[in-house]
Amino acid sequence: MLLLHSCSHPRAWLGEEIEFLDVLCNQMAIAIHQYDLDRDLTISQKQIQANNTTDELTLIPNAKYFEQVLEKEWQRLAREDLPLTILMCRIDFFDLYRETYGDELAKQCLQQVSWAIALVCQRPADLVARYKEEEFGVILPNTDLDGALFIADQVLSSIQKLKMNHLQSPIDQHVSISIGINSMVPTLAVLPDDLVNSARLALSKAIQLGGNRITMGEMLCALD
């Protein structure tokens, strides 16, 4: 919690002051989250290396762990008849960002974006993983489509609040992301990869439409 008090006299805060504080709070939250991740990494580094389930750059789970958790949650939620939602997120025009700002800032961009997403998806069962180079996968157990859309909107907003310059981007002067979503109640007649692929197709559509947006995938149905 960040408190700001005018000691000299009562006053109303200006809109730009409130916006600055909002950005400052977001940056502080990411810094605290980074500290926690660094501390956890120091404590369990040997275990991480042995399991090979953590992305070395961002310190969040990697694609291997994403697939393992997805399989377990799929089976669990199929038994409990509860929904599972997948979010696939990709940084817009990341190759252009790397060409413009270089590898070091590109790595920092990946870290900042991954941690911002992780700060939104903090329920115990939620999982944020680095799925590919600039692509992140999110597993949201027991989350229907309406709940997922709310979370996706929060993720989109959290990246915008980072205000990382991307002056060569054709859609915005700051780094943005695109998100593809799909949700269903798991069934043993449908593969977990089908839901992921549907969300990735929705992500591709979001990018084709210009990026910096959320797109839903087509409904999946189990065959009788």
Side-chain angles (χ1 to χ4, degrees):
M1 180 180 293
L2 178 65
L3 299 177
L4 193 66
H5 177 62
S6 177
C7 299
S8 59
H9 60 278
R11 54 164 295 187
W13 296 105
L14 301 177
E16 54 266 28
E17 292 174 325
I18 295 175
E19 182 178 356
F20 170 76
L21 288 173
D22 191 29
V23 173
L24 180 61
C25 286
N26 195 58
Q27 292 286 352
M28 290 176 64
I30 289 175
I32 293 170
H33 188 61
Q34 180 180 359
Y35 170 80
D36 290 339
L37 287 171
D38 289 341
R39 179 193 59 194
D40 293 342
L41 179 63
T42 301
I43 294 173
S44 59
Q45 190 171 20
K46 291 184 179 180
Q47 181 181 357
I48 289 172
Q49 291 174 346
N51 294 335
N52 193 28
T53 57
T54 299
D55 180 65
E56 293 182 1
L57 175 63
T58 62
L59 307 181
I60 65 173
N62 59 18
K64 176 183 177 181
Y65 192 67
F66 178 91
E67 298 292 346
Q68 292 175 355
V69 171
L70 177 61
E71 181 65 33
K72 292 178 181 177
E73 289 295 341
W74 189 270
Q75 295 179 14
R76 179 178 71 86
L77 295 170
R79 291 193 302 269
E80 299 177 3
D81 197 32
L82 294 172
L84 173 66
T85 296
I86 297 293
L87 271 59
M88 301 305 295
C89 314
R90 187 183 301 169
I91 301 174
D92 295 323
F93 303 100
F94 183 71
D95 288 342
L96 187 57
Y97 184 93
R98 189 194 298 276
E99 292 173 6
T100 303
Y101 298 101
D103 288 341
E104 194 58 38
L105 284 180
K107 291 178 181 178
Q108 294 180 22
C109 175
L110 288 168
Q111 292 172 332
Q112 293 284 307
V113 168
S114 67
W115 297 335
I117 297 172
L119 281 172
V120 174
C121 308
Q122 292 195 69
R123 297 180 308 174
D126 294 346
L127 178 78
V128 179
R130 187 180 179 193
Y131 194 77
K132 291 184 180 294
E133 175 65 14
E134 72 270 31
E135 188 173 334
F136 303 91
V138 182
I139 299 175
L140 300 173
N142 196 14
T143 304
D144 60 16
L145 197 55
D146 288 338
L149 285 170
F150 175 80
I151 292 174
D153 187 65
Q154 294 295 307
V155 169
L156 209 66
S157 177
S158 72
I159 304 305
Q160 294 169 348
K161 289 177 181 177
L162 292 176
K163 293 191 178 297
M164 289 186 292
N165 287 337
H166 192 351
L167 300 180
Q168 299 302 317
S169 171
I171 59 173
D172 200 322
Q173 291 188 333
H174 299 100
V175 170
S176 61
I177 65 171
S178 298
I179 303 176
I181 299 179
N182 209 343
S183 179
M184 71 175 296
V185 175
T187 168
L188 300 181
V190 177
L191 295 175
D193 284 347
D194 293 336
L195 185 61
V196 174
N197 291 335
S198 178
R200 294 194 73 201
L201 284 174
L203 170 62
S204 296
K205 184 177 180 180
I207 294 171
Q208 292 170 3
L209 291 173
N212 195 23
R213 69 185 64 225
I214 302 165
T215 303
M216 292 184 293
E218 294 183 3
M219 183 180 298
L220 297 179
C221 297
L223 297 177
D224 295 332

